[in-house]
Amino acid sequence: MRLWDFALDYYRRDGVAAACLALQDQGDVDVNVLIHAIWRAAIRGEAIAQGDVADADASVAAWRQSIVLPLRALRRRLKTGPPPAPGEVTEKLRGRIKAAELDAEHIELDTLEAMTPERSSSADASDARQSTRTAVLHVLEHFAPGRSASLSHAVEALVEAI
């Protein structure tokens, strides 16, 4: 399964969107790097090491900083102002910015998939859950060192969704 297809399917699962947003907003986690690590662990059956997360982050950090985060900040800013936002007249613009943000995240996920070594194994359900937990904890340690305990509810939601 391609990373983009997995990301769309996984993000729609119960509890995943809320968990990803919690990790993003409270732990400064790049959700695309997170989903990439989960995809490698749960779908491809790979054991994710801390170095894998660092490599993934390094491959997309400049894109995230220069493109994804400014689009996200602009989209979020239009929810509250400045006038004439929020309103009907600015909602169309906000929608176009949201679409551009999604396109930028798609490019980020494609970049992450392209840097991933070829592999075609599958993990069984019990191994997939443990591998996912380990991968998520490595992502948290990379982006939010020392905060895994306060975000454990999000970690468990992501594992349960596998």
Side-chain angles (χ1 to χ4, degrees), residues 133-153:
R133 180 176 281 104
T134 300
V136 172
L137 290 173
H138 283 317
V139 170
L140 261 176
E141 188 57 32
H142 177 78
F143 287 101
R147 289 193 265 172
S148 59
S150 65
L151 295 167
S152 62
H153 63 285

Side-chain angles (χ1 to χ4, degrees), residues 48-131:
I48 302 301
Q50 194 68 44
D52 296 320
V53 176
D55 290 346
D57 183 31
S59 75
V60 296
W63 179 259
R64 176 178 62 247
Q65 286 301 120
S66 298
I67 307 299
V68 175
L69 292 179
L71 286 169
R72 181 175 303 138
L74 185 56
R75 174 184 54 82
R76 286 181 169 181
R77 181 67 179 115
L78 284 169
K79 279 184 170 183
T80 59
E88 284 183 40
V89 70
T90 59
E91 192 54 33
K92 251 196 233 180
L93 173 61
R94 188 172 174 277
R96 288 194 304 269
I97 293 168
K98 184 176 182 178
E101 180 186 359
L102 187 61
D103 287 344
E105 289 184 334
H106 191 168
I107 291 168
E108 183 177 338
L109 285 168
D110 286 349
T111 301
L112 289 166
E113 183 172 8
M115 61 83 57
T116 305
E118 289 296 320
R119 182 158 176 158
S120 62
S121 70
S122 298
D124 69 47
S126 62
D127 288 342
R129 287 180 189 271
Q130 185 54 45
S131 296

Side-chain angles (χ1 to χ4, degrees), residues 1-7 9-10 13 35-48 113 116 119-125 127-129 131-132 135 161-162:
M1 172 182 278
R2 302 285 314 259
L3 177 55
W4 176 251
D5 296 330
F6 171 75
D9 174 66
Y10 185 66
R13 295 179 190 178
I35 289 178
H36 174 253
I38 293 169
W39 172 72
R40 288 183 69 182
I43 302 303
R44 293 171 44 110
E46 297 178 41
I48 302 301
E113 183 172 8
T116 305
R119 182 158 176 158
S120 62
S121 70
S122 298
D124 69 47
D127 288 342
R129 287 180 189 271
S131 296
T132 297
I162 290 300

